[in-house]
Amino acid sequence: MAEIPLEATAGIPLDDRLYVVGVGASAGGLQALEAFFEDMPVTGKITFVVVQHLSPDHESYMPYLLSKYTDLTVSQAGDGNRLEADHIYLIPPGKNLTTTDGTLFLSDYIGRRGQNLPIDIFFESLARDQGDRAVGIILSGTGSDGTIGVRAIKEAGGVALAQDESAKFDGMPRSAIQTKLIDLIAAPGALREILLQYISFPGLGLQKAAEQALSSESEMLLQRLFTAIRNRCGVDFAAYKPSTIVRRIERRMSLRQIEDLASYVSLVETDEDECDLLYQDFLIGVTRFFRDDFPFRVLQTDVIPKLIKQANANRPIRAWVPGCSTGEDAYSIAILLYEAMEEAKGPVDFKVFATDIDGVAIETASVGRYPDSLMVDVSRERQKRFFIKTGRSYEVTRKIRSRVVFAQHDMLKDPPFSRIDLVSCRNALIYLKPDWQRRVFEAFQFSLGSGGYLLLGTSESVAGRPDFRAVDAKAKVYEYAPAGPKSASEPDPPAPAAYQRPSRPAPRRFALAEGRTGESALRAIVEHLLPPSLVIDADGTLVHAFGDVRAYMRPPTGYRLDLNVTKVVREELALTVSAAVRRTLDENDTVIYRGIVIGTGDDRRAVSLRSTPLWDPVARQRLAVVALSSADPPEPSEDEGETFQITASAQRHIATLERELQQTRESLQTTIEELETTNEELQSTNEELLAANEELQSTNEELQSVNEELLTVNGEYQEKIRELTALNDDVNNIMRSTEVGIVLLDQERRLRKFTPATQAVVNVLESDIGRPLAHLTHQFVGVDLAGLVDQVIQTLSPLERQIQTNENRTYVLRIMPYRTHTLQVEGVVMTFIEVTALEQARQAAEQAEAKIYQFVEHAPAALLMLDDEFECLHASRQWYDLFKVDGADVTGRSFFDLFPEAEQAWKPRLERALSGTIESAESDPFLLSDGQRIDLRWELRPWFEEDLDVGGVMLFASSQ
C-alpha cells in the first residue's frame, strides 16, 4: 500500500479560509502567467503566490508587467505579509518564500552551489499550512522544481494542475505530470477556468458525514465504487477509513463538476480513465530519500549496529519495507545497511524486501532512476557513492539495487515475509480501519520474531501492544519483544490468514476456502496435520506454502523477487522437485522420491517427497502439491505412481561431468584473473574520468541554474522592450502630429529631440540632433534661449514668457526641468505655443472694453451693475456723483448695505428684473445715505452672460 502521510490542518476554520493558489514558473513563464491571469475576476475567495526562478543579481519587473493583465492587486511579497483575497504576491529576487498560518515569510536564497528549489519549498509549506485549500499550478520552466511540492499538496488533500504542451519549456510540467498526481492538464487560460469552476463548486459535505457515519445509501454507493476499482485495478480499498476515501472522491467530483455521488460512481464504472485517476489519488505516495532525517539517524545509531552484531555469513540481515511507493525509503535503508556493513569489515550481508500494491510505483522503483529534486536530503558524499548522475536525474548504483528486492504485494491480504529483522512501514496504518490495523500488526509480529525492529510514521503508534518496546518514541522506532520468548526449536507461528486478490492484474494465487465461514479453523487444521508442503503451478511458480518449510527453502537473491521453485528451494532439492512437479502435471499422477540427501556434516539427512496433482477451481488451473518429509512416506499402492531412484550409470555420468566442469572452472579462473588485472587498470582510468565528470557536472549544474535565471530575466526584458517600442511609437506619433513646438535638451544643452512645429521658429534639421543649443539660430526678438535654459537648470524652477518673432508673431515660451522616473534632472523641455490670434483677440477686446468704458463714463445717466445676489459689480462716475457716495470702492458690497431704507421698496423691483422684466419710473423719491431725499428717473434691466443666462441687474438713474 502506498504511503499516504497524515494531512496538515490549518488553524483557521475551513469555511472561512481562502483558497491559496501557488503558481510555479521559470523559463518561458512570463507569457504563461499573462495568459493565466488575463481576465481573472475578483472573487473574494482566492489569493495567488507566484514563485519563479529569479536571478538574485537583477531587479524583477514582474509586478509592473503582470499588473497590466489583471484587475487583482499585484505586489512583491514581503516578510510578514498576511495573505489577502484577490492579491497576487510575487517572490522577490534572491529569496525563498514560505507560508505559516496564512502569513508569508522570506528567507535567504541558499546559493548556486546548493540546490535551491524555491517552488518545492513554497509548495511544501503551502500544503502544511492550508491542507485541502491548497492549489498548486506548474507552468512553463526547465528542470524538475515543483515535483516534490505537487506530491505534498496532493498528500494534504489539495489540487494540482499543470500546463500542457503549450509550455515554451516543458521540463517542469512534464516532471510533475510524470508523478501521475496531476489532476488536470491544460493551457494557462483553460487552467484559469478550471480553477474558477473548482472553487465555485458547492461541495457535498461527504467528508464531514464520513467522520460520523455515512448513510446506508452512501455506503452502498461506496461499495459499488470499490468494486469498480477492484475489477479494474485489482486492489480493494474497503479497508481504508471512510474519511480518507471520501476526501479524495470529493476532490475528483469537484474537478469534474459532479454534485451527485451516484452519478460519479456511474462515471467511474464506465470511464476507465476516471477510474485510473481516482485509483492514483487513493495511492498517493509522498516520499523522497531520507525524508524526515531523524528516524534514519536513530536507525543508524541505535538499531543497525545491533543487527550487524547479530548477523553472520549464514544469517544475513533482512529488512522489509511494505508500502514502499517508488522505493526511496527502501533505498535509504539499504544505504544505511551498506555503510554499516562496510564499517563492520566482516562476513555480513543484507537484503531489503520492498513491496507495494501499486504496480506502476514498483516498476519505477525497480528502475531506480529519480529526478534531482528528490535528492535534496541526500548528502554530497552519498550522492557520489550511491548514485550516478545522468542529466537532471540520479540512478541508484547497482551495488545498492542488487540488495533491494521489489515486488507487488498487498500487506493486507498477501502472506507476510518471514525472518525479518527490520520492518519500515511509515504513515500507511493511520488510513486503515482498526480491524485491518490489527491484522497488519499481526503480520508484522509474524515477520519480525523476537528482537526485530519496527519503524512507523510520525502519526502512528503501537498503543495497546505491549510486545513492542520503544527504542526512540519520537522517531517511532520500536523493538518487538514478546512476553514469552520461544525456544530455538519452536517453529514460527503461522502467518495471519491471507485473502486472495483478483487475478487481474496480480499474480495468480492458490485459493483455499476463499471467503468461507470457518476459514481460520480450516487453515489451522491444514497447518497442523499436513507435513511441510509447497503448492506449485504449471509455470513452476510457488503460489503457497503450508507448515514449517524453512528447512527446505533458501532466501531469494537479486533485486526482483523470483518465486520459481528452483530458486526458492535448497539446491539439493531443486532438480528433484522440478522433475517431480513436471511429471505430476504431465501425467496427472502422484510421484514419490526417496533418499534425497541434503545438508553437510552433522546436518546431513535424507528427505522424501510426494508430489500430488490438484485442481484449483477458483483460478481454474492445475497445481502440484509437494509434501516434504525427513522420514520415508508409506509405500504407495500401484495406482499412486512409482518410486524414482538414480541408477549407478547416471551416477558415473554425473561424476564425469563434474570432473569436466572442474577443469572448465580452473581454465575460467585463469581467464578471470587476467580480466581482473585488465579491469583494475580500466577502473583506475574510470575513476579519473569519474572525477573529471563530477567536476563537469558541478559546472553544468551551475550553468543550468544561471541559464534558467537568465531565461527568466530575458523574458522580462523582452516584454519590457516590446512595451518601450510601443511607447516610443506613441511618442513619435504625438511629436509628429502636434502643432506645439517641443525641444528636448540633455544636461549638456545638446539637442535630443524636437517636433516638426519647432522648425517654424528655430532653424533646426534632423541632422542637428546632438548639437548644442548655442549653435542653433531662431526668429525670436531679444531672447537668449541658452541663458534662459541655464537659469532653469540652476534654479530647477519652470519659466514662462511671452515672446515675439521678427514677423510679429506671438509665442508663449515655457522651459521646465526634464525629470526621470527617479525624479533626477537630466535636461530641460522647451515648448513654443503660438498665441498670435489669441493676443490679437485680447487686444481687440481691450480696445472694445475701453470704448465701452468711455461711453459709460461719459453717458448722461448713472449706471450701477448688480449680480444675482444684488452685490455691486460696477458703478459709473456719474453714479457716485448722483447718489452722494464718497470715493470708497463699492464693488462687492450689497445694494441694501449701501441704502438700508430702500430694501422694502427696491427688493421686489430687483427680483422682477432678475426674472427678465424691464421696469422704469419717471419720478420716484429716494432716500440717500446722508438722509437727503431726491427724485429719481430710473430704469431696471436684466443683463445676460455669454450662455444667455441672466447674470444680474443694470440700474440706470438720473435726477428729476
Side-chain angles (χ1 to χ4, degrees):
M1 180 169 52
E3 178 185 5
I4 313 175
L6 183 62
E7 300 161 23
T9 55
I12 306 172
L14 181 63
D15 295 335
D16 297 333
R17 288 189 286 128
L18 298 169
Y19 286 92
V20 182
V21 180
V23 184
S26 180
L30 178 59
Q31 293 84 354
L33 288 170
E34 291 172 354
F36 177 75
F37 284 110
E38 189 175 14
D39 299 328
M40 180 68 73
V42 175
T43 64
K45 296 180 180 181
I46 321 176
T47 183
F48 298 90
V49 181
V50 177
V51 184
Q52 291 180 280
H53 293 169
L54 300 176
S55 170
D57 304 322
H58 295 82
E59 180 184 358
S60 175
Y61 296 101
M62 183 58 70
Y64 166 75
L65 297 174
L66 201 57
S67 61
K68 300 187 306 175
Y69 292 88
T70 178
D71 294 331
L72 305 182
T73 303
V74 182
S75 62
Q76 204 166 72
D79 196 32
N81 283 163
R82 186 74 180 172
L83 291 173
E84 298 181 11
D86 302 317
H87 276 60
I88 302 174
Y89 300 91
L90 305 173
I91 188 172
K95 296 291 183 180
N96 286 324
L97 192 61
T98 58
T99 176
T100 302
D101 293 332
T103 302
L104 296 175
F105 295 96
L106 300 177
S107 58
D108 291 333
Y109 179 78
I110 65 175
R112 289 199 180 105
R113 286 202 171 269
Q115 192 175 26
N116 190 67
L117 302 171
I119 300 174
D120 280 331
I121 290 172
F122 178 73
F123 277 17
E124 287 189 299
S125 71
L126 175 63
R128 289 192 300 269
D129 188 43
Q130 298 297 325
D132 58 0
R133 288 283 172 124
V135 179
I137 300 177
I138 300 295
L139 300 179
S140 174
T142 60
S144 59
D145 192 10
T147 300
I148 294 178
V150 163
R151 290 175 178 267
I153 288 175
K154 292 289 290 183
E155 168 196 12
V159 171
L161 308 174
Q163 187 175 357
D164 59 9
E165 64 275 2
S166 62
K168 187 174 182 181
F169 295 89
D170 65 349
M172 282 170 35
R174 187 177 66 253
S175 178
I177 293 169
Q178 287 174 350
T179 64
K180 308 295 184 182
L181 301 177
I182 297 298
D183 292 296
L184 287 172
I185 305 166
L191 291 177
R192 177 188 63 246
E193 301 305 319
I194 292 169
L195 175 66
L196 294 174
Q197 291 175 3
Y198 174 71
I199 67 165
S200 64
F201 190 75
L204 305 175
L206 288 178
Q207 182 177 345
K208 186 177 294 184
E211 293 171 356
Q212 301 170 0
L214 290 171
S215 65
S216 58
E217 181 182 1
S218 297
E219 284 280 5
M220 181 185 67
L221 291 172
L222 285 180
Q223 290 302 321
R224 281 178 53 192
L225 190 72
F226 295 153
T227 301
I229 296 177
R230 185 174 65 245
N231 293 338
R232 165 79 177 155
C233 306
V235 178
D236 189 357
F237 289 97
Y240 279 61
K241 292 178 180 176
S243 58
T244 301
I245 296 297
V246 166
R247 182 165 46 247
R248 284 154 172 75
I249 294 173
E250 268 200 324
R251 184 171 59 243
R252 290 302 311 168
M253 292 177 67
S254 298
L255 290 169
R256 297 300 297 263
Q257 297 291 290
I258 298 176
E259 299 184 16
D260 179 46
L261 180 58
S263 300
Y264 183 71
V265 172
S266 299
L267 175 66
V268 173
E269 290 174 334
T270 56
D271 189 335
E272 292 185 352
D273 291 338
E274 182 62 27
C275 185
D276 291 340
L277 288 171
L278 183 61
Y279 171 71
Q280 289 297 329
D281 254 11
F282 287 167
L283 294 179
I284 296 173
V286 182
T287 182
R288 62 174 178 264
F289 293 99
F290 297 99
R291 186 171 66 97
D292 301 331
D293 182 58
F294 180 63
F296 289 100
R297 284 189 276 118
V298 172
L299 291 181
Q300 187 176 20
T301 57
D302 298 344
V303 174
I304 293 179
K306 296 178 182 178
L307 297 179
I308 291 290
K309 291 180 181 179
Q310 299 171 4
N312 53 58
N314 297 323
R315 178 66 172 87
I317 299 172
R318 292 161 60 88
W320 179 25
V321 185
C324 69
S325 187
T326 49
E328 290 89 334
D329 268 8
Y331 284 129
S332 299
I333 290 175
I335 289 173
L336 294 180
L337 290 169
Y338 190 91
E339 291 174 339
M341 182 185 71
E342 286 187 326
E343 292 180 3
K345 298 180 181 179
V348 179
D349 202 357
F350 68 90
K351 184 68 67 177
V352 177
F353 301 96
T355 62
D356 199 283
I357 59 174
D358 187 357
V360 175
I362 288 298
E363 290 296 329
T364 302
S366 301
V367 174
R369 185 178 296 112
Y370 301 91
D372 53 5
S373 58
L374 297 180
M375 307 297 293
V376 292
D377 295 326
V378 182
S379 66
R380 284 282 186 177
E381 180 183 356
R382 283 175 174 164
Q383 287 183 23
K384 293 179 180 179
R385 291 188 62 196
F386 303 114
F387 296 89
I388 301 172
K389 192 172 190 309
T390 55
R392 284 191 170 270
S393 62
Y394 285 80
E395 184 174 343
V396 182
T397 58
R398 185 166 182 79
K399 63 184 178 183
I400 297 298
R401 286 167 53 206
S402 63
R403 287 175 165 81
V404 183
V405 179
F406 290 98
Q408 189 174 359
H409 176 276
D410 189 346
M411 66 178 175
L412 300 178
K413 298 182 178 181
D414 291 336
F417 290 82
S418 60
R419 293 181 296 161
I420 298 296
D421 300 295
L422 171 63
V423 173
S424 173
C425 182
R426 305 176 68 197
N427 298 320
L429 299 178
I430 53 174
Y431 288 100
L432 300 179
K433 295 177 180 178
D435 289 345
W436 287 96
Q437 288 185 17
R438 177 181 54 78
R439 294 190 184 191
V440 171
F441 269 103
E442 290 176 356
F444 291 165
Q445 290 172 322
F446 169 82
S447 296
L448 287 171
S450 180
Y453 293 91
L454 174 65
L455 172 61
L456 298 178
T458 55
S459 300
E460 298 165 335
S461 69
V462 294
R465 297 174 177 85
D467 290 346
F468 287 95
R469 179 184 61 83
V471 176
D472 190 305
K474 182 179 179 181
K476 302 295 182 179
V477 178
Y478 303 92
E479 180 182 6
Y480 179 52
K486 62 184 180 181
S487 63
S489 61
E490 182 181 353
D492 286 333
Y499 303 92
Q500 300 307 314
R501 295 180 298 172
S503 57
R504 181 187 176 276
R508 293 179 295 179
R509 307 286 193 211
F510 172 65
L512 177 64
E514 174 76 33
R516 297 176 182 173
T517 304
E519 176 186 351
S520 298
L522 178 59
R523 182 175 179 86
I525 294 172
V526 170
E527 293 282 358
H528 286 84
L529 296 184
L530 282 183
S533 302
L534 307 176
V535 181
I536 303 166
D537 65 11
D539 297 327
T541 301
L542 177 66
V543 296
H544 216 291
F546 297 99
D548 186 7
V549 297
R550 291 179 299 173
Y552 310 103
M553 309 291 284
R554 58 176 170 175
T557 59
Y559 63 92
R560 292 300 304 269
L561 188 61
D562 190 350
L563 295 180
N564 188 277
V565 67
T566 61
K567 303 295 184 182
V568 296
V569 300
R570 297 180 62 144
E571 292 180 352
E572 303 95 319
L573 291 172
L575 180 61
T576 310
V577 171
S578 177
V581 169
R582 179 51 50 201
R583 182 176 171 184
T584 297
L585 296 176
D586 290 344
E587 300 178 4
N588 194 28
D589 200 359
T590 299
V591 177
I592 298 176
Y593 292 159
R594 292 190 179 91
I596 308 164
V597 179
I598 63 173
T600 59
D602 296 339
D603 192 34
R604 184 180 178 87
R605 64 186 184 278
V607 175
S608 299
L609 67 81
R610 177 193 296 268
S611 177
T612 306
L614 176 67
W615 173 254
D616 181 7
V618 176
R620 301 187 63 81
Q621 62 175 333
R622 193 181 301 280
L623 304 170
V625 180
V626 179
L628 300 165
S629 175
S630 297
D632 288 343
E635 292 292 335
S637 59
E638 292 183 358
D639 58 348
E640 287 181 327
E642 60 186 40
T643 303
F644 173 80
Q645 293 181 346
I646 300 178
T647 64
S649 175
Q651 289 178 342
R652 287 193 300 271
H653 184 61
I654 291 173
T656 301
L657 292 176
E658 288 178 348
R659 285 194 299 270
E660 293 177 357
L661 178 60
Q662 182 62 29
Q663 293 174 358
T664 304
R665 285 176 176 173
E666 292 174 356
S667 176
L668 180 61
Q669 180 63 30
T670 303
T671 305
I672 289 173
E673 290 175 357
E674 295 175 357
L675 290 175
E676 285 178 348
T677 303
T678 305
N679 188 49
E680 288 176 0
E681 297 175 358
L682 292 175
Q683 284 180 343
S684 177
T685 304
N686 186 52
E687 289 175 359
E688 296 176 3
L689 292 175
L690 286 174
N693 186 50
E694 288 176 0
E695 295 177 3
L696 291 175
Q697 286 177 347
S698 177
T699 304
N700 186 50
E701 289 175 3
E702 294 181 15
L703 291 176
Q704 285 177 339
S705 178
V706 173
N707 185 52
E708 287 183 14
E709 296 169 359
L710 290 178
L711 285 171
T712 303
V713 173
N714 184 55
E716 293 185 5
Y717 281 165
Q718 287 179 345
E719 182 66 21
K720 192 71 173 176
I721 289 170
R722 284 194 292 269
E723 290 186 3
L724 291 175
T725 301
L727 181 61
N728 191 55
D729 292 340
D730 293 342
V731 171
N732 288 334
N733 279 280
I734 292 173
M735 297 283 280
R736 284 193 298 267
S737 62
T738 183
E739 296 181 358
V740 176
I742 302 175
V743 176
L744 303 181
L745 302 175
D746 61 17
Q747 284 184 320
E748 302 299 325
R749 286 67 163 175
R750 297 180 183 275
L751 187 64
R752 292 181 55 195
K753 189 171 288 190
F754 64 91
T755 62
T758 305
Q759 294 175 314
V761 290
V762 179
N763 301 319
V764 62
L765 300 173
E766 289 291 338
S767 59
D768 293 326
I769 297 294
R771 293 183 62 185
L773 177 64
H775 292 184
L776 305 178
T777 61
H778 54 81
Q779 301 178 19
F780 298 116
V781 178
V783 178
D784 182 10
L785 288 180
L788 295 177
V789 168
D790 290 340
Q791 178 183 338
V792 170
I793 289 180
Q794 291 173 3
T795 62
L796 300 182
S797 298
L799 180 147
E800 181 175 325
R801 288 191 181 181
Q802 186 168 299
I803 55 180
Q804 297 286 331
T805 69
N806 51 20
E807 297 178 353
N808 292 325
R809 288 184 294 165
T810 305
Y811 284 83
V812 173
L813 168 66
R814 290 194 181 96
I815 305 177
M816 295 174 291
Y818 180 96
R819 297 183 184 274
T820 65
H821 69 283
T822 59
L823 301 182
Q824 293 182 346
V825 176
E826 293 188 355
V828 296
V829 180
M830 289 195 302
T831 60
F832 307 97
I833 304 175
E834 184 175 4
V835 292
T836 303
L838 183 63
E839 182 65 18
Q840 292 173 350
R842 185 186 64 79
Q843 293 176 359
E846 288 179 352
Q847 293 174 0
E849 184 178 354
K851 292 179 180 179
I852 293 172
Y853 180 77
Q854 290 177 1
F855 171 79
V856 171
E857 293 297 321
H858 294 87
L863 172 64
L864 177 66
M865 293 185 68
L866 303 175
D867 64 11
D868 56 358
E869 297 292 335
F870 308 132
E871 291 183 355
C872 298
L873 295 178
H874 178 73
S876 66
R877 179 172 53 82
Q878 293 86 344
W879 187 86
Y880 281 97
D881 294 339
L882 177 63
F883 285 88
K884 302 293 191 289
V885 178
D886 57 18
D889 188 7
V890 298
T891 302
R893 297 183 62 183
S894 172
F895 180 80
F896 301 116
D897 287 342
L898 295 174
F899 308 105
E901 299 295 334
E903 181 173 3
Q904 183 177 2
W906 282 83
K907 188 172 184 179
R909 298 171 181 172
L910 295 174
E911 289 175 348
R912 288 195 294 272
L914 279 177
S915 65
T917 302
I918 299 176
E919 192 172 347
S920 63
E922 293 295 327
S923 177
D924 186 19
F926 190 85
L927 183 64
L928 301 178
S929 58
D930 60 357
Q932 182 180 355
R933 185 179 300 274
I934 64 173
D935 290 331
L936 290 179
R937 177 184 295 161
W938 55 266
E939 182 177 331
L940 287 175
R941 285 178 175 273
W943 62 269
F944 300 91
E945 295 180 339
E946 294 180 358
D947 56 2
L948 301 181
D949 288 338
V950 176
V953 181
M954 292 189 297
L955 170 61
F956 298 93
S958 62
S959 60
Q960 185 68 21

